[in-house]
Amino acid sequence: RGERAEIAGAAEPAPATAPWEVALPALREAYRAASQLYEKVGVGADLRAEQARAESEETAALAELGRLSNKVRTRAAQLLEGTDGADAPSRQAAAARAQELVTLLESRAEAASEQLGRLRGDAERLAPRDTAAHAELPEGLRPADAARAQALLRTASGELAAHTEALEEAAAAHEALLHTHRTAEDAARGFEETAALLRDLLRGAGDEDTRAEEEPYPGDLEAARLAATEARRSLRGCAGDLAAAESALRETCDVLVRHANSTRYEQVRTPARQQIRELPAAALPEHAAAWAQAFAPRLRVLTDELAQLERNRDSIVDRLRGLVESALATLRSAQHLSRLPEGLGEWSGQEFLRIRFTDPDQSTLAERLGEVIDEATRAAVRKNGDLRRDGMSLLLRAVAAALRPKGVSVEILKPDAVLRAERVPVGQMGDVFSGGQLLTAAIALYCTMAALRSNDRGTAPTTGPRHAGTLFLDNPIGRANATYLLELQRAVADALGVQLLYTTGLFDTTALAEFPLVIRLRNDADLRAGLKYISVEEHLRPGLPEQRPGEEQVHGEITATRLFRRTPQ
């Protein structure tokens, strides 16, 4: 439409006269110009299609325009007559402003609609249900018009603000009071818990009346907790001490009861012992003071008696120590006196006995001897018999106790044909020695003991040959008929001063040839008198020593005998 208007505007002249009054050449020129212009603006099929589309849009617009009311058309004509409808750009700008205004108005309408909906909802929600109004106002506060209502509303709003401020202050004060109250309750609960802990630890030491009269704690909860902690720690320590004291008391009571029930005091018939045995253990401490007072005099007497017994024991220990030391000296003398003479090969100058032991310390010796005395006393009291003890057995136990733990080691030379210096412990003699060797060793031991007894009695001569007594042997040749054993027996006896007398019924010329004097005896009987006699049949003197002038007289035969009869006890 616009193109046609432009073409029409360009083609149509603005003649001032009627068309028939224009000259033909001018019309032709105008026609030619219009034809050229038309040809210039002529388009093809695409423009014609666009023209058809424009025409259809024009038709649709005319149809839409036809549907509009007269009021709208009138308003549109007015707008076209104004500055906004002068040209197309103005109309487009005005349309854009109108569209923006429409959008704004629509948004405002939507907001107003939403607000209206909310207000209607609030009105329905806040509307009174049972009455026409929420509250009945007095006559002076009923508004006559909107202005009066606004004034009353402002006054009520001011009062509401004042009351709201007062309410907030009251709420703040109430909150502070609640905080203080909660703090006080927490402190009270803390104090109550602390007090409960202390009461549990005290185990009902104080009653409720006493606790009610006590003054309140002056400090705060933390100080009270610290004090309670210290009190509990101290109380636990005291409770531990109390438990230890109670345990010690129970143990002491048990010890006292066991002491009273001991079999050692079965003969004691005192009332206190009966009470201790019959009363329960918990009741014993109540009577302890009375028993202590009653036992004090008896304790002094028993203490004096025990002191006297201790003095007696010390004197017995001193006496026994002297005997033990004498016995140990006897052992040393026995080893010294068992030294063999010369002429015995390797045995020459050797000690037949070797006794070794460690000398005990004096303090240790006194202690061990005291133990021996105590054990002997306890054994005598247990057997309830004679208190007298065998002195020799007591001395032997004392010597064994004094030489603990090593004891005494005794070794003896082993007799053999070549007389080797081989020593054997006395405990192995029965396993190592033969019968003749055992007999020879026994003879040597007897000679040593005889010499020792003679030395202890003071009968041993200081000069010259010693004489320790005579030993009768009942048929030793049957077991020890070896020549070297007989020589060894006679050599040891000569060295120790013991005279050996052999008796035998065997006529072993090899063995008898070793003796300087052989006396053959015969048994005779007087049948009529009923008596038996021993008579000498003959004397054999193969090796009697010859008496040389100027030398000491040597006796080689028996010249006299004495008979000693022991008086029966």
Side-chain angles (χ1 to χ4, degrees):
R1 239 181 358 260
E3 291 176 356
R4 287 183 179 181
E6 290 176 0
I7 292 173
E12 291 180 358
T17 60
W20 54 84
E21 294 180 355
V22 179
L24 181 58
L27 293 175
R28 287 179 178 177
E29 184 66 25
Y31 177 75
R32 189 172 52 257
S35 296
Q36 293 177 358
L37 179 62
Y38 184 77
E39 289 176 0
K40 288 181 181 180
V41 298
V43 293
D46 52 348
L47 292 180
R48 286 194 295 269
E50 183 178 357
Q51 179 182 0
R53 186 170 58 255
E55 289 177 354
S56 62
E57 290 179 358
E58 180 182 7
T59 304
L62 289 174
E64 184 178 359
L65 180 61
R67 289 194 298 270
L68 297 176
S69 62
N70 293 330
K71 184 178 180 180
V72 174
R73 292 178 179 180
T74 303
R75 182 59 181 167
Q78 292 177 359
L79 292 175
L80 287 175
E81 291 178 355
T83 57
D84 293 334
D87 52 7
S90 299
R91 289 194 296 273
Q92 290 179 358
R97 289 194 299 272
Q99 187 64 34
E100 292 178 358
L101 182 59
V102 170
T103 303
L104 178 60
L105 293 176
E106 287 179 354
S107 63
R108 290 180 179 179
E110 290 179 1
S113 178
E114 292 179 1
Q115 185 177 5
L116 179 60
R118 287 197 301 272
L119 293 176
R120 284 178 180 177
D122 293 341
E124 292 177 359
R125 180 172 52 83
L126 298 176
R129 299 184 181 275
D130 299 334
T131 59
H134 288 285
E136 293 293 337
L137 297 176
E139 293 294 337
L141 297 179
R142 290 180 181 179
D145 49 11
R148 177 61 178 169
Q150 292 293 334
L152 293 175
L153 182 59
R154 286 192 295 272
T155 303
S157 298
E159 294 178 358
L160 179 61
H163 289 299
T164 302
E165 184 178 358
L167 179 61
E168 291 177 356
E169 294 178 357
H174 181 261
E175 185 67 26
L177 292 176
L178 287 178
H179 179 70
T180 304
H181 179 67
R182 285 193 295 269
T183 304
E185 288 181 347
D186 294 340
R189 283 193 296 270
F191 278 108
E192 184 63 26
E193 293 174 359
T194 305
L197 291 176
L198 292 177
R199 284 195 296 270
D200 292 339
L201 292 176
L202 287 175
R203 295 186 297 181
D207 52 3
E208 295 295 337
D209 296 338
T210 303
R211 289 197 294 270
E213 295 176 358
E214 294 178 354
E215 296 181 358
Y217 186 74
D220 55 357
L221 179 59
E222 294 300 327
R225 286 178 178 173
L226 292 176
T229 302
E230 295 295 332
R232 287 197 303 272
R233 185 180 296 109
S234 177
L235 188 58
R236 281 194 295 269
C238 295
D241 296 341
L242 178 60
E246 291 178 351
S247 177
L249 179 60
R250 287 192 299 270
E251 293 178 359
T252 305
C253 293
D254 295 339
V255 171
L256 180 60
V257 173
R258 288 196 301 270
H259 193 70
N261 291 328
S262 177
T263 56
R264 299 170 55 189
Y265 306 107
E266 291 181 354
Q267 304 299 327
V268 179
R269 303 298 181 184
T270 58
R273 179 173 179 267
Q274 294 299 119
Q275 292 177 1
I276 294 173
R277 297 178 61 186
E278 295 174 359
L279 287 176
L284 293 179
E286 300 177 0
H287 303 79
W291 290 337
Q293 185 177 2
F295 288 156
R298 182 58 178 165
L299 178 62
R300 287 192 296 270
V301 175
L302 292 177
T303 303
D304 296 339
E305 293 180 357
L306 290 176
Q308 182 64 30
L309 291 176
E310 188 66 24
R311 289 191 293 270
N312 295 335
R313 177 180 177 275
D314 293 340
S315 63
I316 294 174
V317 170
D318 292 338
R319 176 59 178 164
L320 187 59
R321 179 170 57 187
L323 294 176
V324 169
E325 292 175 353
S326 177
L328 297 180
T330 302
L331 292 178
R332 298 188 190 92
S333 299
Q335 177 178 344
H336 177 69
L337 292 175
S338 65
R339 188 177 300 275
L340 298 174
E342 299 295 334
L344 296 178
E346 293 184 8
W347 282 31
S348 299
Q350 294 283 342
E351 293 174 344
F352 185 73
L353 288 176
R354 179 175 292 175
I355 304 174
R356 291 180 295 179
F357 56 88
T358 304
D359 292 333
D361 183 67
Q362 292 299 322
S363 59
T364 306
L365 178 61
E367 181 180 357
R368 292 177 179 176
L369 295 181
E371 294 176 357
V372 172
I373 296 298
D374 296 340
E375 180 61 27
T377 305
R378 283 193 294 268
V381 173
R382 281 197 301 268
K383 294 179 180 179
N384 197 15
D386 190 3
L387 296 180
R388 292 177 296 179
R389 298 287 93 192
D390 181 17
M392 182 55 66
S393 63
L394 184 62
L395 179 59
L396 292 177
R397 287 200 298 269
V399 172
L403 299 180
R404 284 200 309 262
K406 295 182 179 180
V408 182
S409 175
V410 180
E411 295 178 346
I412 189 171
L413 290 174
K414 179 182 179 181
D416 55 6
V418 296
L419 296 181
R420 291 176 299 176
E422 179 183 358
R423 297 186 180 274
V424 178
V426 292
Q428 300 178 6
M429 291 174 56
D431 300 331
V432 178
F433 288 10
S434 63
Q437 290 174 343
L438 283 175
L439 179 60
T440 302
I443 293 173
L445 287 176
Y446 173 79
C447 294
T448 302
M449 295 300 104
L452 181 63
R453 183 178 62 177
S454 176
N455 184 69
D456 292 341
R457 291 180 176 179
T459 58
T462 57
T463 59
R466 67 177 68 182
H467 180 66
T470 303
L471 175 61
F472 286 87
L473 302 177
D474 184 12
N475 194 18
I477 300 177
R479 297 178 62 185
N481 56 356
T483 304
Y484 75 93
L485 293 178
L486 296 176
E487 292 178 355
L488 181 60
Q489 295 171 10
R490 294 177 56 236
V492 173
D494 291 341
L496 298 177
V498 179
Q499 183 181 6
L500 298 181
L501 296 179
Y502 292 78
T503 62
T504 181
L506 301 177
F507 191 75
D508 188 349
T509 57
T510 303
L512 296 178
E514 297 295 328
F515 296 97
L517 176 62
V518 179
I519 300 176
R520 299 186 64 182
L521 302 177
R522 185 180 69 243
N523 290 326
D524 292 335
D526 187 353
L527 299 179
R528 291 178 296 179
L531 299 177
K532 293 182 179 181
Y533 301 96
I534 297 177
S535 59
V536 177
E537 183 176 358
E538 62 177 330
H539 288 193
L540 300 178
R541 298 179 178 86
L544 289 178
E546 298 181 358
Q547 186 71 29
R548 295 180 181 180
E551 294 182 356
E552 184 179 357
Q553 183 179 2
V554 178
H555 297 282
E557 61 181 2
I558 299 176
T559 58
T561 60
R562 291 183 181 180
L563 177 64
F564 293 92
R565 183 183 299 276
R566 179 181 297 175
T567 303
Q569 295 181 357

